[in-house]
């Protein structure tokens, strides 16, 4: 049985005080639910403080990005070991905003995934097509390229804890959600690719989250699909009640 994993990607929101309030409210609102793994991904500046607040809870901590290098003259960058040192267990890599706004390539994302694994950080590896790619019939090629390039040279053993997040770019922050059937179709396709690349046993065990305008009122139906194992939540994770509303009805 695969675990259900719901992660909140705070993006560039919440200063330190606001982060403290949000994480405290999340802690208060979550009811005991051993069936769902919850992860929060605040901005870098709040990681250490949030980490301390999450001590003695089952909530995991993730960063939203990291550098593929270990250390050195990379002004403004944050390394995997720095993330580990403030208590991160996860890191979001390949988010579509990193790909489109910051020009991250499949190759760079591949290096980051390798570096995260080397440092025992679990990657939340994001992939997804744009509306144009979907409408032109290119969706499967795009997903296949992102998966194969992103995981190039990485063995099944190294990826034993990876999380994949399928996030159609046209559904991120737009209020438009993929229908459960649309999402399920792509999730099954991704699982099939992983089975081809590794093994069906490996593919059966990989958690594949859906992301893109997930809210309390659509979460249950999306997460009810056989190949959807959780959600990567943006906008709706910035308020404790809507984040809890996604987690608790699961
Ligand atoms: P959204 O963002 O829930 O605001 O659409 C999801 C994401 O970017 O991870």
């Amino acid at each position: 049985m695969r675990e259900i994993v719901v992660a909140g990607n705070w993006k560039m929101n919440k200063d330190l005080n606001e982060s403290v309030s949000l994480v405290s409210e999340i802690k208060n609102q979550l009811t005991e639910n051993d069936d769902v793994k919850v992860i929060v991904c605040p901005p870098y500046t709040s990681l250490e403080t949030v980490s301390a607040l999450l001590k003695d809870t089952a909530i995991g901590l993730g960063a939203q990005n990291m550098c593929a290098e270990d250390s050195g003259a990379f002004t403004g960058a944050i390394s995997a070991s720095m993330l580990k040192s403030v208590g991160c267990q996860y890191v979001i890599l390949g988010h579509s905003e990193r790909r489109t706004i910051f020009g991250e390539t499949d190759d760079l994302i591949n290096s980051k995934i390798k570096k995260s694994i080397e440092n025992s950080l679990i990657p939340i590896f994001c992939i997804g097509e744009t509306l144009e790619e979907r409408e032109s019939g290119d969706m499967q090629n795009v997903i296949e390229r992102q998966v194969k390039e992103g995981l190039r040279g990485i063995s099944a053993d190294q990826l034993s804890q990876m999380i994949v997040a399928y996030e159609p770019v046209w559904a991120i922050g737009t209020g438009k959600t993929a229908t459960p059937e649309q999402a399920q179709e792509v999730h099954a396709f991704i699982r099939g690719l992983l089975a081809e690349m590794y093994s069906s046993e490996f593919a059966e065990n990989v958690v594949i989250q859906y992301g893109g305008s997930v809210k309390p009122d659509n979460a249950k139906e999306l997460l009810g699909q056989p190949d959807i194992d959780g959600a990567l939540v943006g906008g709706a994770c910035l308020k404790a009640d809507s984040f809890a509303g996604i987690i608790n009805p699961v």
Side-chain angles (χ1 to χ4, degrees), residues 9 11 95 97 167 171-173 212-214 232-235:
N9 174 8
K11 306 194 180 181
H95 191 279
E97 285 148 21
E167 300 201 299
I172 296 179
S213 301
V214 178
L232 182 54
V233 185

Side-chain angles (χ1 to χ4, degrees), residues 7-11 92 95-97 126 165 167-176 210-215 231-238 246:
N9 174 8
W10 298 12
K11 306 194 180 181
I92 298 173
H95 191 279
S96 73
E97 285 148 21
C126 303
E167 300 201 299
V169 178
W170 47 274
I172 296 179
T174 57
K176 276 190 215 154
Y210 169 79
S213 301
V214 178
K215 300 181 225 49
L232 182 54
V233 185
C237 80
L238 297 175
I246 290 168

